[in-house]
Amino acid sequence: MQSAVRLATPPPLDSYPTYPLINRKRSPPSRSPSPTRRRSPPVRSLPLRSPPQTQKSLGPGLYDAGPKRPAEPVPRFTERPRRRNSDGAPMKPPTEEEKQAAAKAEYEKLLYMRSGGTYIPPARLRALQAQITDKSSKEYQKMAWEALKKSINGRINKVNISNIKHIVPELFGENLIRGRGLFCRIIMKAQAASLPFTPIYAAIVAIINTKLPQVGELLLHRLIIQFKKAYKRNDKAVCLSSTTFLAHLCNQQVAHEILAAQILLLLLNKPTDDSVEIAVGLTREVGQHIEEMNAPIAAAVFDQFRNILHEQDLDKRVQYMIEVLFQVRKDKYKDNPAISEELDLVEEEDQITHNTKLDADLEVQDGLNVFKYDSEWEEHEAAYNQLKAEILGEAEGSDEEYESGESSDDDEAKEEHDLEIKDQTNTNLVNLRRTIYLTIMSSADFEECCHKLMKVTLPPGQEAELPSMVIECCSQERTYSKFYGLIGERFAKLNRLWTDLFETSFAKYYDTIHRYETNRLRNIARFFGHMLSNDGIGWHVLSIVHLNEEETTSSSRIFIKILFQDLAEALGMAKLQERLKDVYLRDNFKGIFPTDNPRNTRFSINYFTSIGMGGLTEEMREHLSKLPPPPALMPKPESDSESDSETLRARKQGRGRGRDQDQDQDQDQDHFRDHGLLPAHAHAHALGGAHLPVPERDGVPGGQGQARDRVPAHVRLLGLVIVIVIVYAYVTESVTVTMGENIAADEEGKSDYRKPASLVGYAPKKE
């Protein structure tokens, strides 16, 4: 029976057009195919044909597509259908409250997902946080908490010895009262990860403890609890980190030394290899502090170590550690100081020590580690901002506000970008000096040198290096070269800046002239002599020179001598005297030509006279001659001993005839003494000739002592020799006469001088 619908018979295969086959390279089948994977059906090599596009059959295998329809135009911009309410009215744009509510909901959804949160791109997170501006909301406080944790963690991780003074104010900028739990947990984690940084973390805690003692106390409690738990479960690594931190807190006097002693006695009570090793490490860190604060405790601890070393059967390594510890104690902990100089940042009167015992009931307050909603968040933040201003010394009403929503990554990137690199090795300064030195040495004359030096770029604040290098190069020469004086003169006359710098250099080199040897001193003095004689620098620089015995040294006196000799050679004596007597400059020379003290005046007169410039001392000599004589010495009281009076009486009698002959000479001496000169200079003064120095004798200013009592030493020696000769001749003559008389008497039998009474014990009998 045939079907009601007749299907067209397909044409033979030859009627189809032939197409080249596409060879596709298939991958080899897997050796272990998945059981759920379906295998693709085999590809049959059939000719490809296009799908039917007609609706009308034109024959076997042929179809008519029919007329083409005109393409409908597609609009480029279509109006987006407006959102409408359930009643069909268009919806209004959301208000600010609705936007904040939506942002809070999305932020809360992202934070409290089952996976513990999800990654949010930073731009989207900042935009989301910017929409949450209600500080009393839970979401805003949660964001502030996360930012606080991230900020504290970042600052703790990048602290070191060089930047600790900058990190601590930044930590005080965060709310450490609210985040004290976070701070303690982060710093304990960082210390356990890097034990060599323990002294730095202890220094941070010591500084914060001076202003916020509750933070230091909480950290101390947590470290003690952590040590006790680790000791019970035999966790050596945690015990070692906890004891090391506690040791350095004891060194910084955050914890009392009794706590370290209790831990040591606990570890040494039942000694094992691990407990003794931890105790040795703790003692090396805190031993010096205990020795200084409580010596009996240190003695008890080392006695316990000694007993353990002699009695306990420990590992050789642990025994060697104890022996090394005794050697460290013998060396007074020179390699293990309690506090290094760089980390001694807390004054002793500011330290707050917590007397916490090992067996006390302590609270770790784990609730401070997690976020809690604060209904009075703004009030607490304002109170901490006020406390922060007091700690950091900020002015009241500061415009800085606590912005918890800022990203610390952006802040760190900005700080790194704005960081100015400072060269602490003085490499740039050395290179600058080398450039100036090579420029000076490679110049043919001073004009070329000045031209080249003017082209050298001097960094701001280092302009003084050029005058200093010119003077140093001058001092290194074997003899003085006028080349350097001309360079200094040219620069001093070019600009007032260089004049001031050379005047400053004069004061600096005069103060440090004792450091230079004689040849360098001579060159420096002649350089400044050239500058003064050619008015390169002002003569007022001589005001720092005070020519007296107390304020000068041998080097400074040589410097002044060479300086004035060079000035006299360049200007001439007459012009030099005229310049020194200038009305406007006289006040600057009061130290060189003093008139305030007769002793200093005589010292200056003698100094200039000795260097051949006595003509500069005319005014001082005139001033000295006008001074009143010193008061006469008071006579001795009558209560002196009789021996003194007898000595004076004998001295008066011994003068004899010479008194009348010396009266005229004493009158001449009094005359010259009234004029401030010694009798030795009377002849020169009367002739008005050369100026002679005015010496001082026995602490009494020259020319005002008792001249008749001042006998020269060679005269005294000559008189003593004459007296000895006279006495010797007199004694010899007397002995000779006596012996002759005795011999004559012996011949007559009238004398028994061979047996004097003092030798035979009795007196001779008289006939």
Side-chain angles (χ1 to χ4, degrees):
M1 191 173 177
Q2 296 180 352
S3 173
V5 179
R6 186 177 179 180
L7 299 175
T9 303
L13 294 176
D14 298 337
S15 61
Y16 289 97
T18 59
Y19 297 93
L21 296 178
I22 300 174
N23 294 328
R24 289 192 347 190
K25 186 176 180 180
R26 299 181 60 188
S27 60
S30 175
R31 295 183 179 180
S32 58
S34 175
T36 59
R37 182 180 179 183
R38 293 183 180 181
R39 292 190 177 184
S40 59
V43 179
R44 293 184 298 178
S45 58
L46 293 177
L48 301 176
R49 62 179 182 178
S50 59
Q53 299 178 357
T54 63
Q55 301 292 335
K56 187 175 179 181
S57 177
L58 299 177
L62 300 175
Y63 300 92
D64 185 12
K68 294 183 179 180
R69 297 180 181 179
E72 298 179 358
V74 179
R76 297 181 62 183
F77 302 99
T78 58
E79 184 179 1
R80 188 174 182 180
R82 296 181 179 179
R83 298 181 59 183
R84 298 178 180 273
N85 297 329
S86 58
D87 56 354
M91 296 182 63
K92 296 181 179 180
T95 60
E96 291 296 331
E97 297 179 357
E98 294 175 351
K99 289 181 181 180
Q100 287 196 14
K104 291 178 184 178
E106 185 178 0
Y107 187 75
E108 186 175 2
K109 178 182 177 181
L110 293 173
L111 289 178
Y112 298 103
M113 292 179 68
R114 178 175 294 182
S115 61
T118 183
Y119 173 74
I120 308 174
R124 183 184 176 194
L125 180 62
R126 286 194 296 270
L128 191 62
Q129 291 175 346
Q131 296 179 4
I132 304 175
T133 57
D134 186 9
K135 296 184 179 181
S136 61
S137 62
K138 183 179 180 180
E139 290 76 12
Y140 184 88
Q141 296 184 18
K142 178 67 176 179
M143 287 192 307
W145 177 265
E146 294 295 332
L148 177 63
K149 178 169 64 175
K150 194 173 183 181
S151 177
I152 294 176
N153 188 37
R155 286 172 170 82
I156 292 296
N157 287 336
K158 69 179 182 181
V159 68
N160 53 47
I161 294 180
S162 61
N163 64 1
I164 185 173
K165 295 182 180 180
H166 305 288
I167 295 296
V168 171
E170 295 178 2
L171 284 173
F172 277 118
E174 308 295 337
N175 194 338
L176 291 180
I177 295 179
R178 183 186 303 278
R180 60 185 182 275
L182 291 175
F183 173 79
C184 295
R185 186 178 66 176
I186 291 171
I187 201 169
M188 288 172 63
K189 184 178 178 181
Q191 184 269 339
S194 55
L195 292 180
F197 280 78
T198 304
I200 301 175
Y201 296 136
I204 292 177
V205 175
I207 297 173
I208 295 177
N209 183 67
T210 58
K211 305 299 181 182
L212 304 173
Q214 60 269 36
V215 178
E217 187 177 12
L218 177 62
L219 177 63
L220 203 59
H221 290 180
R222 291 192 176 185
L223 285 172
I224 294 174
I225 295 297
Q226 184 183 31
F227 167 74
K228 293 166 71 173
K229 289 181 179 179
Y231 181 76
K232 289 180 180 179
R233 60 174 180 262
N234 296 327
D235 192 345
K236 179 181 176 182
V238 178
C239 280
L240 186 61
S241 64
S242 301
T243 53
T244 304
F245 207 167
L246 287 170
H248 285 283
L249 289 178
C250 290
N251 292 338
Q252 294 283 354
Q253 298 190 17
V254 177
H256 201 273
E257 63 270 9
I258 296 296
L259 177 61
Q262 290 177 343
I263 296 176
L264 287 172
L265 295 178
L266 175 64
L267 293 171
L268 300 177
N269 186 23
K270 296 180 180 180
T272 62
D273 291 342
D274 291 339
S275 66
V276 173
E277 182 179 352
I278 295 172
V280 169
L282 176 59
T283 308
R284 293 187 68 170
E285 300 294 341
V286 79
Q288 185 181 19
H289 177 70
I290 295 180
E291 292 275 3
E292 295 175 356
M293 304 300 294
N294 202 330
I297 293 180
V301 170
F302 278 95
D303 288 342
Q304 188 70 14
F305 274 118
R306 189 177 293 106
N307 296 334
I308 292 172
L309 184 62
H310 294 317
E311 299 176 2
Q312 297 295 329
D313 187 13
L314 298 176
D315 189 19
K316 294 292 185 183
R317 183 179 65 87
V318 179
Q319 294 179 6
Y320 179 73
M321 292 177 65
I322 298 177
E323 293 174 358
V324 171
L325 178 62
F326 276 97
Q327 184 63 35
V328 170
R329 186 193 185 193
K330 185 178 180 181
D331 296 338
K332 297 182 179 180
Y333 304 91
K334 64 179 181 179
D335 295 330
N336 300 89
I339 304 176
S340 62
E341 185 178 356
E342 298 84 1
L343 299 177
D344 190 8
L345 304 174
V346 181
E347 298 293 338
E348 186 175 356
E349 58 270 11
D350 296 335
Q351 293 168 344
I352 299 177
T353 304
H354 302 283
N355 194 3
T356 306
K357 302 297 179 60
L358 187 63
D359 53 353
D361 295 334
L362 307 175
E363 296 182 1
V364 295
Q365 302 180 21
D366 289 330
L368 297 175
N369 297 340
V370 297
F371 168 72
K372 290 182 180 180
Y373 175 72
D374 186 6
S375 59
E376 300 178 355
W377 190 86
E378 295 185 12
E379 290 79 1
H380 292 164
E381 287 296 316
Y384 183 79
N385 287 335
Q386 184 177 0
L387 177 62
K388 178 183 70 175
E390 295 177 358
I391 293 173
L392 300 179
E394 297 176 356
E396 297 182 0
S398 177
D399 296 333
E400 298 179 359
E401 297 180 357
Y402 180 69
E403 299 175 357
S404 59
E406 294 180 354
S407 174
S408 61
D409 294 337
D410 296 341
D411 294 344
E412 293 176 3
K414 186 176 180 180
E415 290 176 2
E416 292 177 0
H417 179 71
D418 296 339
L419 182 63
E420 181 182 357
I421 300 175
K422 294 183 178 179
D423 182 18
Q424 300 292 341
T425 61
N426 291 332
T427 304
N428 296 335
L429 181 60
V430 172
N431 293 335
L432 176 62
R433 291 178 176 175
R434 182 185 295 110
T435 302
I436 297 173
Y437 174 78
L438 295 176
T439 303
I440 294 174
M441 292 301 165
S442 62
S443 301
D445 56 1
F446 79 96
E447 293 182 346
E448 178 186 352
C449 182
C450 294
H451 182 71
K452 291 181 179 179
L453 289 176
M454 289 298 294
K455 293 184 178 180
V456 176
T457 303
L458 296 174
Q462 294 185 354
E463 292 84 359
E465 294 300 325
L466 193 146
S468 177
M469 283 303 300
V470 171
I471 299 172
E472 288 294 330
C473 293
C474 177
S475 67
Q476 295 291 341
E477 295 290 339
R478 193 168 289 183
T479 58
Y480 172 71
S481 175
K482 197 175 181 180
F483 169 77
Y484 299 99
L486 293 172
I487 293 175
E489 179 186 353
R490 176 62 61 88
F491 270 96
K493 292 181 178 180
L494 280 176
N495 195 334
R496 181 64 187 176
L497 170 66
W498 303 114
T499 306
D500 295 339
L501 291 175
F502 275 108
E503 291 174 354
T504 306
S505 299
F506 179 86
K508 182 184 73 172
Y509 279 96
Y510 180 75
D511 291 338
T512 60
I513 199 65
H514 58 276
R515 302 178 185 174
Y516 297 92
E517 58 185 9
T518 306
N519 187 55
R520 298 185 64 185
L521 184 151
R522 182 182 301 275
N523 291 343
I524 294 173
R526 295 198 64 184
F527 174 84
F528 284 112
H530 178 92
M531 295 287 289
L532 286 170
S533 61
N534 292 277
D535 294 328
I537 57 177
W539 286 63
H540 61 273
V541 297
L542 296 176
S543 60
I544 65 171
V545 180
H546 295 84
L547 190 58
N548 53 64
E549 190 173 359
E550 291 78 14
E551 299 183 52
T552 57
T553 62
S554 59
S555 299
S556 62
R557 289 192 285 268
I558 295 173
F559 177 83
I560 299 170
K561 169 190 171 183
I562 299 172
L563 178 66
F564 273 88
Q565 287 179 346
D566 193 81
L567 289 173
E569 181 181 354
L571 298 176
M573 202 64 181
K575 193 171 182 180
L576 177 60
Q577 288 182 348
E578 181 183 354
R579 182 64 61 90
L580 294 175
K581 294 178 182 179
D582 193 327
V583 179
Y584 300 101
L585 297 175
R586 290 180 69 93
D587 293 340
N588 298 313
F589 306 141
K590 288 183 177 179
I592 302 177
F593 306 107
T595 56
D596 54 345
N597 189 353
R599 181 183 178 87
N600 297 340
T601 305
R602 289 185 178 85
F603 184 88
S604 179
I605 292 173
N606 294 341
Y607 176 81
F608 282 105
T609 305
S610 64
I611 65 175
M613 293 188 178
L616 302 179
T617 63
E618 291 289 347
E619 293 185 358
M620 288 190 294
R621 290 176 181 272
E622 183 180 354
H623 169 76
L624 198 62
S625 64
K626 295 179 181 179
L627 291 178
L633 297 176
M634 296 296 293
K636 290 187 178 181
E638 297 180 357
S639 60
D640 290 344
S641 60
E642 297 180 357
S643 60
D644 294 339
S645 61
E646 292 176 0
T647 303
L648 293 174
R649 189 179 302 109
R651 184 179 299 175
K652 291 179 181 179
Q653 294 175 358
R655 291 176 182 174
R657 303 174 181 177
R659 178 179 301 175
D660 297 333
Q661 298 176 0
D662 294 340
Q663 287 181 357
D664 298 335
Q665 184 179 357
D666 291 344
Q667 292 177 359
D668 296 336
Q669 290 176 353
D670 294 337
H671 171 72
F672 290 112
R673 183 166 58 251
D674 293 339
H675 288 79
L677 299 175
L678 286 178
H681 305 91
H683 182 67
H685 179 74
L687 297 177
H691 298 279
L692 299 177
V694 185
E696 298 180 3
R697 297 178 180 177
D698 300 334
V700 180
Q704 295 185 10
Q706 298 295 333
R708 61 173 62 91
D709 295 334
R710 300 294 185 265
V711 181
H714 64 278
V715 177
R716 296 178 186 176
L717 181 60
L718 181 60
L720 181 62
V721 171
I722 294 172
V723 170
I724 292 174
V725 171
I726 294 173
V727 171
Y728 178 78
Y730 177 78
V731 171
T732 304
E733 183 180 358
S734 301
V735 171
T736 303
V737 172
T738 305
M739 290 180 64
E741 292 176 355
N742 291 336
I743 292 172
D746 183 57
E747 291 177 355
E748 296 175 359
K750 299 180 180 180
S751 174
D752 193 9
Y753 69 94
R754 292 187 181 90
K755 296 179 181 180
S758 60
L759 296 179
V760 299
Y762 61 90
K765 297 180 179 180
K766 296 183 180 179
E767 295 180 358

